[in-house]
Amino acid sequence: MPDNPIIQSCQRKIKDAVCIDTKRIYDSCVSKDCLEDLRVTFFGPSQNLIDEASTIKCRDCCINAVSIDVDEVPFNKGFYSVDVHFYFLLKFDCYTIPCSPPQIAVGFASFSKRCILYGSQGNVKIFASEICDKSGDCPEAPQYASPTAKVQAVDPIVLSCNVIKECDCHIPLCSCFPKRMLEQIPDSIITPQREKAVLVTLGLFSIIQMERDVQMTVPAYDFCVPEKECSCSTQDPCTAFQGIDFPVEQFFPPEKECECSTKSLEESEDE
């Protein structure tokens, strides 16, 4: 049986019980959202590429920014509403002529969702040593009493991409995006005369957690002293390359194992 570092650490004698200040997750939820027909906003030259293109393909989509608002739910003590706003950056390959090199158009889309999570109650005001206001004679430390929300998400999957005429699109165009996102493009002015609109459907996986600062007592075994030495190898690059195993699985991906054949083989061996 291979050595398990977790089991080994538990078998060691507890030396002390220490008090730590950490965040405890009071509530969490998992989401699998299908964001259907999100309208993509294009600015300046990107909109011109969309209007002139004969074929458009979505190359990439990533979460560029997220804003989170936490508000206490009235008449339901201990519960909080979490408003999450996702901002996506999308890149499209625009083909004006078949078999020609594509030009890249950059667009933006947004999605908002709300959930109710339990965050417990706590009227204590927490002050941190980080100074938030240095303008006054007495710099104030930031304070907070409400729980904090954390969002974990992976870049969405592009399920579909449709191009329609502007006159046939009844979905309003969103122009409110974080300033940091708009700084990534040279021209952040929306073209007033648009001929085409792009609608995308995205698949988004996310986890939302409600956390609060707490003091907890945990067992302490020993100081965590690293046992691995820092490698400062300066050997020849070709020599280092020769020590890497050949990636067989990259050239020959493994097949799905048949459960029926495996079971019959085990039964024959038992007989």
Side-chain angles (χ1 to χ4, degrees), residues 251-271:
F251 291 89
F252 305 97
E255 297 181 353
K256 182 179 180 181
E257 184 178 358
C258 180
E259 297 180 358
C260 299
S261 60
T262 305
K263 184 179 297 184
S264 60
L265 180 60
E266 291 177 354
E267 292 176 355
S268 60
E269 289 180 353
D270 294 338
E271 295 178 354

Side-chain angles (χ1 to χ4, degrees), residues 86-112:
F86 294 92
Y87 298 96
F88 308 106
L89 186 146
L90 302 97
K91 295 182 179 180
F92 297 85
D93 289 336
C94 302
Y95 298 86
T96 55
I97 303 176
C99 300
S100 63
Q103 292 182 293
I104 300 176
V106 179
F108 304 91
S110 64
F111 168 70
S112 301

Side-chain angles (χ1 to χ4, degrees), residues 162-183:
N162 299 319
V163 182
I164 61 176
K165 294 182 180 180
E166 175 68 23
C167 57
D168 296 334
C169 183
H170 303 289
I171 301 176
L173 191 66
C174 177
S175 60
C176 183
F177 295 96
K179 183 178 179 181
R180 180 180 62 83
M181 291 184 62
L182 300 180
E183 291 176 350

Side-chain angles (χ1 to χ4, degrees), residues 233-246:
S233 177
T234 57
Q235 61 179 344
D236 181 70
C238 292
T239 304
F241 178 73
Q242 294 298 329
I244 301 176
D245 296 334
F246 191 86

